[in-house]
Amino acid sequence: MSALLPADLRERAVLLRPLLAPVRLVVLDVDGVLTDGTILWVGGEVGWTRRFSVHDGFGVKLLLRAGLTVAALSADDNPAMRARLDRLGVGLARFGQEDKRAGFAALQQAAGVGDAATLFMGDELYDVPLIRQAGVGVSVPGACVEAREAADYVTERPGGGGAVRELCDLLRYAQGLPVELR
């Protein structure tokens, strides 16, 4: 869908306003969405870690400060993921959820919203059913073909490299959310 939209993010937000207006819960996959999918071995007690974008993180903080609920859903469970999301203030998360449908339902129940008010952003085959189920399904350019085809919107920016920030800005512009800088 994004190939048919204007290059300017604010113009895209206006066109996507009917789709994005009902969103109250944003559920993000981690690997490939909040990260570029790279897993780094640092050894010792630390083990595996990930690389995150500060721009994506700031976008998440802006949504949280504006009153939207942001949650994370991952089939993996890693201390780096937990620490990053905790630092951002994302208190709603499910890790080690190989059955992502069950994790998705639990997140929606905890947030008190249904499919129509939920946006899911994913990149892999596990994510395709949730991209289709959510009121708004989003993917990234490096996602598997099936995820991109199922999505209502594919970001221009890559996972772990500004895709989440692009999505956050689209939501802010489409919903007219305030910017709270503290």
Side-chain angles (χ1 to χ4, degrees):
M1 179 180 226
S2 62
L4 304 175
L5 296 171
D8 181 75
L9 197 62
R10 289 176 196 255
E11 290 176 25
R12 275 185 266 157
V14 169
L15 292 173
L16 294 171
R17 186 172 288 142
L19 184 67
L20 298 174
V23 172
R24 297 293 168 259
L25 170 65
V26 175
V27 181
L28 304 170
D29 176 43
V30 178
D31 288 328
V33 171
L34 276 168
T35 76
D36 65 5
T38 300
I39 299 175
L40 306 167
W41 174 253
V42 292
E45 291 182 31
V46 175
W48 300 102
T49 191
R50 270 90 169 150
R51 194 172 66 175
F52 297 91
S53 163
V54 296
H55 301 288
D56 289 343
F58 190 64
V60 167
K61 285 183 176 186
L62 289 173
L63 290 186
L64 290 169
R65 290 174 185 165
L68 291 182
T69 302
V70 179
L73 178 61
S74 180
D76 197 9
D77 190 353
N78 178 275
M81 284 191 246
R82 288 179 178 267
R84 179 62 177 148
L85 292 164
D86 183 55
R87 186 167 179 101
L88 293 175
V90 175
L92 196 55
R94 295 277 190 235
F95 299 104
Q97 285 286 168
E98 291 203 19
D99 179 359
K100 283 197 165 183
R101 287 182 188 198
F104 186 70
L107 292 170
Q108 287 181 306
Q109 183 177 15
V113 301
D115 290 343
T118 305
L119 181 151
F120 179 77
M121 186 174 190
D123 72 313
E124 198 45 86
L125 290 172
Y126 286 121
D127 302 323
V128 172
L130 302 180
I131 291 169
R132 289 185 177 134
Q133 179 181 337
V136 182
V138 178
S139 195
V140 296
C144 69
V145 171
E146 293 87 347
R148 292 191 318 267
E149 288 175 348
D152 297 302
Y153 180 78
V154 177
T155 62
E156 290 186 356
R157 303 288 306 191
V164 171
R165 178 57 184 269
E166 178 182 332
L167 171 68
C168 293
D169 288 345
L170 273 174
L171 278 167
R172 286 189 314 105
Y173 300 147
Q175 294 187 3
L177 299 174
V179 175
E180 293 289 328
L181 301 176
R182 6 180 176 140

